[in-house]
Amino acid sequence: MSMQQLALEEAALKTLADTVMDRLKAVKAEMQEALTTGGVGKVDATLPDGTKVAVISRTDSKPAAVVTDPEAFLAWVRANRPSEVTTRLLTEVRPAYTTALLAEMTAAGTAEVSDRETGVVDAVPGVEIRATRSTTHSVRPTKDGRDRIAEAWRTGALSHLNLPQLTATPQEA
């Protein structure tokens, strides 16, 4: 294939990909809204003939402990677990301890820890329990779903959908 043909093919594919991605973003947002407002956890994607080609599943956000104020968190660890602090040119809580402590608080669902020896429960400043990812959804094609969708596209069975078409942008005079 000549360089000119490769250049045209790449430009065409880039244009197609951008057009499809713009529509995909809009449809994903609409689907997310429908799943959320409809209180639905999953829905099957089926072709007009009823063939299941994918499953759309909602993924809810999961709260987790996150350090929101590193200075307050460092001060608390320095006062309560000084062995977990290292001092170099930079003073910071040891990353392994941060990970373990955040995991403990995430499991408990609260920004507090209990001293294993004394049983005293301390609130940990600079840490909050908050959603770490937004609610989203996934698309999982069936074993032959991709092939069936491709065939439906080729035969026109998806013509009722609002799939993007490439149209020329009107040129200003």
Side-chain angles (χ1 to χ4, degrees):
M1 188 177 287
S2 75
M3 190 177 301
Q4 286 301 115
Q5 288 173 312
L6 284 172
L8 177 57
E9 186 171 350
E10 183 173 352
L13 290 171
K14 172 79 169 104
T15 300
L16 286 167
D18 290 349
T19 301
V20 169
M21 285 307 296
D22 289 346
R23 181 65 185 141
L24 178 59
K25 287 177 189 174
V27 170
K28 282 184 80 158
E30 289 177 41
M31 175 56 79
Q32 188 60 50
E33 179 68 19
L35 289 168
T36 301
T37 59
V40 176
K42 70 179 183 176
V43 63
D44 291 341
T46 57
L47 294 174
D49 68 3
T51 303
K52 179 178 168 179
V53 292
V55 176
I56 312 295
S57 301
R58 186 179 74 207
T59 304
D60 293 323
S61 63
K62 295 182 180 177
V66 293
V67 174
T68 57
D69 183 342
E71 291 178 17
F73 179 67
L74 173 61
W76 181 86
V77 175
R78 184 179 272 156
N80 291 278
R81 305 290 190 284
S83 63
E84 300 300 334
V85 175
T86 58
T87 303
R88 295 178 268 218
L89 293 175
L90 170 71
T91 302
E92 65 182 1
V93 177
R94 291 183 324 116
Y97 181 70
T98 298
T99 300
L101 193 58
L102 292 176
E104 182 180 331
M105 289 185 278
T106 295
T110 183
E112 299 176 330
V113 293
S114 175
D115 186 302
R116 286 175 174 68
E117 294 175 15
T118 66
V120 174
V121 176
D122 284 320
V124 181
V127 176
E128 294 178 10
I129 303 294
R130 58 167 60 160
T132 57
R133 67 174 189 218
S134 59
T135 300
T136 186
H137 63 274
S138 64
V139 178
R140 291 183 313 279
T142 60
K143 182 178 179 183
D144 61 348
R146 291 178 193 272
D147 291 338
R148 290 184 176 268
I149 289 170
E151 180 62 23
W153 176 283
R154 281 190 293 277
T155 64
L158 303 178
S159 62
H160 64 289
L161 299 177
N162 184 17
L163 299 176
Q165 298 297 317
L166 293 180
T167 57
T169 305
Q171 300 295 317
E172 304 253 342

